[in-house]
Amino acid sequence: MIQLPDQSASFVLIAREGSDSVELLTGDVVDVDLLADIPLTAEGTPQEVFALVPYRQVRERGFEARDDATPLRCIIVDRHDHLPFDDVVASLPREPIALRDAGFDISDEDYAAVVERVIAEEIGRGEGANFVIRRDYTARFDGDDRTAALTWFRALLEHERGAYWTFAVITPGQILVGASPEAHVVAKDGIVTMNPISGTFRHPAGGATKESLVEFLSSTKETEELFMVVDEELKMMSAVCSDGGRITGPHLKQMSRLTHTEYMLRGSSRLDPRDILRETMFAPTVTGSPMQNACTVIRRHEAKPRGYYSGVAALFTPNAHGGHDLDAPILIRTVYAQDGSLRVPVGATLVRHSDPHGEVSETHGKAAGVLGAIGAIDRDEVVDPDAPAAPVDLAADADVTTLLSARNARLAEFWLNPQGDDTAGPFVGRSALVVDAEDRFTTMLAHQLRHLGLDVRILPWSEATDADADAADLVVAGPGPGDPRDDSSPRIARMRQLVARRRDRQRPLLAVCLSHQILADGFGIDLAPLDSPHQGLQKVVPVFGEDASIGFYNTFTARVAPGTARVGEVEVSADAATGDVYALRAPHVASVQGHLESILSRDGIRTLQRLIAHTLA
């Protein structure tokens, strides 16, 4: 038997995936304001720190969030023990905790209505590709919060499988217990890893079968969801890693009641782990993309602040190099206990294909996954006589493996393979300014530009001055959310000014997505909303004599009469049937509607090089 800390002590219990022990961390609690304030040293000596990072910290990136005063809580670890798994389980309380007054804080009908509004008013107006809107399952229970949390932690250890971290955090006023499937960001020995997970397959009664899993893996919606979150996390990787990040996968993440699909992203970085954490706040799987606008949409459509939901638990551990390694799982599949109440936040990822009632069902499935694992509701038993009597490792099935691997045939080799020496690119010696219009696809675009030899600087639209633009050999006007016709938007107005100034001075300009639409408007080409948003859509399109496979994230399009090849001095590559403009070219100017930097752009780097060569000619 293990003696746990007494009632007044703060501590953390962690069972990591694949470990046969449970870690016990104890120490004093310190709340700080900013990530930079996390005390990784004391009098010059590195120290281990466990931190709970709330969602509201995303304001450090300049993004919107309701300030609910949830603390950025640190435990300064004074003791870190590894305890035998079975001894810990035997030491934890096991009496079931009965729930009452249970249900969602938002009715199914009201949540479905929110889903409909987000699809119509946000995705339909070009505000982003996908958004995660949460609801909370709540209930009351008898007894003290600490005992309830430790009881649920025991249940997770005994019944949940596949979690990256299974954990319990006991501190004054903040008690959490959960089984997170997802390592949001890990930094160890200079290597940063991110683990985007998306797509949720709720196991049928009796367990998952090959047939039911194959049906799930064949879903267009689930596949595109995963590709979109990989794109979003590659934006973060490109911001913190010198080599931008490589993709491996996809893999299956099998848990007791749910299965997900996932990729692994890896890259090199020398940044302080607190800076890595700041630049990767937070996972698109529980926020949306583009990240900045996702935060705005969340604030618009969620009735309450998020607390720790979609934040991270972060363990900073001193390493042999005098710095710290970082292990930070995302705070999902988590139960919060406070004053005799239970709360389980869950969210559905809303995309252009979303069915409101299907998304309602997904939140029920996610909540049930947590509640069943902690024993708060009946766990699924084998009731289907044709289902396997024991869990089957479907990830090892040859047909499943083939179906997963086939997904990579759609992706850009640039992000799958080593890229070589950036100093040998065709545009070495030239400089580029990338203007960020509030879509961090610009970090991936900048990485590709550096691969082509350019010396690249990124500035947000609000900071990019005329002098900055004039000093660059090439200006890349970046993508962003919103309606390019919006005369009330300061961001749209500034992007118009930068594009027009560059064009009027006949200086090299490449315009992407939103900026492509702004450039087209400046040339007198009509702009129109698409009948159906192109969010995470891969298309093969003509680009000045070559067909190119490119990923699209757009709700609006420039449009000409079908068959139009030129508007004044401007060459046009457009859809033969609809007249939707895919690319424009004029002296020293080029533009493209798609995202050449996306993982969906198999011909992205080649097309990017062609367009830049034209502008610099």
Side-chain angles (χ1 to χ4, degrees):
M1 296 288 285
I2 302 296
Q3 183 64 44
L4 293 176
D6 62 34
Q7 292 283 344
S8 63
S10 296
F11 62 94
V12 181
L13 292 164
I14 303 170
R16 304 197 208 204
E17 186 175 19
S19 174
D20 59 0
S21 66
V22 176
E23 298 167 57
L24 171 62
L25 288 65
T26 59
D28 294 332
V29 170
V30 176
D31 293 342
V32 300
D33 292 329
L34 303 172
L35 291 174
D37 298 331
I38 295 174
L40 298 187
T41 60
E43 298 180 351
T45 301
Q47 58 186 1
E48 188 169 35
V49 179
F50 174 89
L52 290 173
V53 183
Y55 172 75
R56 72 185 184 103
Q57 294 303 133
V58 80
R59 295 177 307 152
E60 290 193 41
R61 294 186 64 185
F63 300 168
E64 291 189 34
R66 297 178 189 272
D67 187 0
D68 55 357
T70 301
L72 172 46
R73 174 149 294 178
C74 301
I75 294 181
I76 313 303
V77 179
D78 59 22
R79 184 164 179 172
H80 189 155
D81 295 319
H82 292 256
L83 308 175
F85 185 94
D86 292 340
D87 289 352
V88 172
V89 171
S91 302
L92 295 169
R94 65 180 307 140
E95 192 66 28
I97 305 293
L99 303 182
R100 63 180 189 278
D101 304 327
F104 281 101
D105 62 338
I106 302 172
S107 70
D108 287 355
E109 293 77 13
D110 288 346
Y111 187 77
V114 172
V115 172
E116 289 179 337
R117 285 199 301 274
V118 170
I119 294 171
E121 298 175 10
E122 307 294 357
I123 297 175
R125 289 197 322 224
E127 297 301 322
N130 56 86
F131 301 108
V132 179
I133 304 298
R134 89 173 201 291
R135 62 201 297 221
D136 292 352
Y137 187 94
T138 63
R140 300 287 301 172
F141 60 87
D142 294 324
D144 69 277
D145 300 337
R146 181 182 185 275
T147 300
L150 293 177
T151 302
W152 296 329
F153 181 64
R154 175 178 183 146
L156 290 173
L157 293 179
E158 290 182 316
H159 298 286
E160 185 64 335
R161 67 186 180 93
Y164 179 71
W165 268 25
T166 303
F167 60 90
V169 182
I170 311 295
T171 68
Q174 302 291 341
I175 294 180
L176 299 69
V177 58
S180 175
E182 187 169 346
H184 174 54
V185 61
V186 176
K188 186 172 183 178
D189 297 329
I191 302 298
V192 175
T193 305
M194 298 186 75
N195 179 206
I197 294 177
S198 189
T200 300
F201 170 50
R202 186 181 181 186
H203 299 170
T209 63
K210 175 180 174 179
E211 291 72 23
S212 60
L213 181 60
V214 165
E215 182 180 0
F216 161 74
L217 292 176
S218 301
S219 164
T220 298
K221 173 186 178 295
E222 301 294 349
T223 302
E224 290 185 354
E225 251 184 51
L226 180 59
F227 288 161
M228 283 190 279
V229 298
V230 172
D231 258 340
E232 193 67 20
E233 294 207 359
L234 268 175
K235 298 176 189 180
M236 299 176 181
M237 291 289 286
S238 294
V240 300
C241 296
S242 57
D243 54 353
R246 304 272 67 71
I247 303 172
T248 59
H251 311 288
L252 287 183
K253 167 68 75 170
Q254 293 179 275
M255 303 186 73
S256 297
R257 297 164 61 101
L258 303 169
T259 292
H260 301 285
T261 46
E262 64 179 359
Y263 277 91
M264 298 297 294
L265 315 180
R266 289 186 176 85
S268 302
S269 180
R270 296 182 179 178
L271 292 180
D272 183 298
R274 292 167 294 191
D275 294 332
I276 292 173
L277 192 54
R278 181 184 304 104
E279 290 299 315
T280 59
M281 292 191 298
F282 283 112
T285 50
V286 282
T287 53
S289 65
M291 179 67 195
Q292 182 166 352
N293 227 38
C295 293
T296 302
V297 169
I298 287 168
R299 179 161 187 171
R300 251 195 310 261
H301 294 277
E302 288 188 358
K304 296 184 296 187
R306 286 195 161 197
Y308 290 115
Y309 172 71
S310 72
V312 297
L315 182 60
F316 298 88
T317 303
N319 58 34
H321 310 294
H324 285 76
D325 294 331
L326 169 67
D327 192 0
I330 189 172
L331 286 172
I332 54 174
R333 309 286 166 77
T334 299
V335 181
Y336 300 83
Q338 187 171 33
D339 300 328
S341 67
L342 163 149
R343 183 170 58 88
V344 180
V346 292
T349 301
L350 313 184
V351 297
R352 60 192 174 94
H353 294 305
S354 286
D355 168 66
H357 298 291
E359 304 301 353
V360 167
S361 178
E362 180 164 330
T363 62
H364 279 274
K366 288 180 176 177
V370 177
L371 296 166
I374 66 173
I377 62 174
D378 290 338
R379 298 184 181 93
D380 285 345
E381 300 294 339
V382 177
V383 295
D384 182 353
D386 296 324
V392 177
D393 183 12
L394 294 173
D397 183 272
D399 292 338
V400 170
T401 301
T402 299
L403 192 57
L404 280 171
S405 299
R407 292 184 173 189
N408 286 351
R410 296 179 56 187
L411 303 185
E413 291 186 4
F414 181 86
W415 298 106
L416 293 168
N417 299 325
Q419 296 164 6
D421 184 3
D422 291 355
T423 62
F427 307 122
V428 168
R430 304 292 188 99
S431 64
L433 172 67
V434 179
V435 182
D436 189 328
E438 297 186 4
D439 188 335
R440 295 296 296 278
F441 259 129
T442 49
T443 62
M444 295 170 66
L445 190 54
H447 178 64
Q448 288 192 321
L449 294 171
R450 292 185 184 105
H451 176 73
L452 293 174
L454 289 149
D455 179 15
V456 183
R457 182 185 183 197
I458 304 176
L459 285 176
W461 65 271
S462 57
E463 298 178 18
T465 67
D466 290 346
D468 291 321
D470 292 345
D473 294 325
L474 171 69
V475 167
V476 179
D483 185 339
R485 306 166 300 179
D486 185 359
D487 293 330
S488 66
S489 168
R491 176 171 53 87
I492 301 294
R494 180 56 181 153
M495 295 305 293
R496 286 175 180 168
Q497 292 169 0
L498 287 166
V499 167
R501 180 182 179 87
R502 199 72 180 179
R503 193 193 80 185
D504 292 345
R505 295 189 170 210
Q506 297 189 330
R507 297 290 308 283
L509 169 71
L510 174 65
V512 179
C513 197
L514 174 71
S515 295
H516 156 84
Q517 296 159 10
I518 289 171
L519 178 69
D521 183 60
F523 282 128
I525 298 172
D526 290 339
L527 302 178
L530 294 164
D531 292 336
S532 177
H534 292 168
Q535 299 294 354
L537 181 67
Q538 187 180 59
K539 299 178 68 174
V540 176
V541 301
V543 181
F544 305 118
E546 287 189 13
D547 286 343
S549 177
I550 296 174
F552 286 79
Y553 288 83
N554 64 302
T555 300
F556 295 88
T557 185
R559 185 170 287 160
V560 296
T564 300
R566 183 176 289 274
V567 176
E569 65 173 342
V570 185
E571 294 179 76
V572 177
S573 277
D575 189 281
T578 66
D580 290 354
V581 178
Y582 299 128
L584 297 171
R585 194 165 66 178
H588 306 293
V589 174
S591 70
V592 62
Q593 176 61 74
H595 286 264
L596 304 181
E597 69 280 6
S598 167
I599 62 168
L600 292 171
S601 293
R602 289 185 295 163
D603 299 315
I605 192 70
R606 171 173 170 75
T607 306
L608 181 64
Q609 182 174 340
R610 289 179 63 217
L611 294 179
I612 293 173
H614 167 81
T615 68
L616 294 175

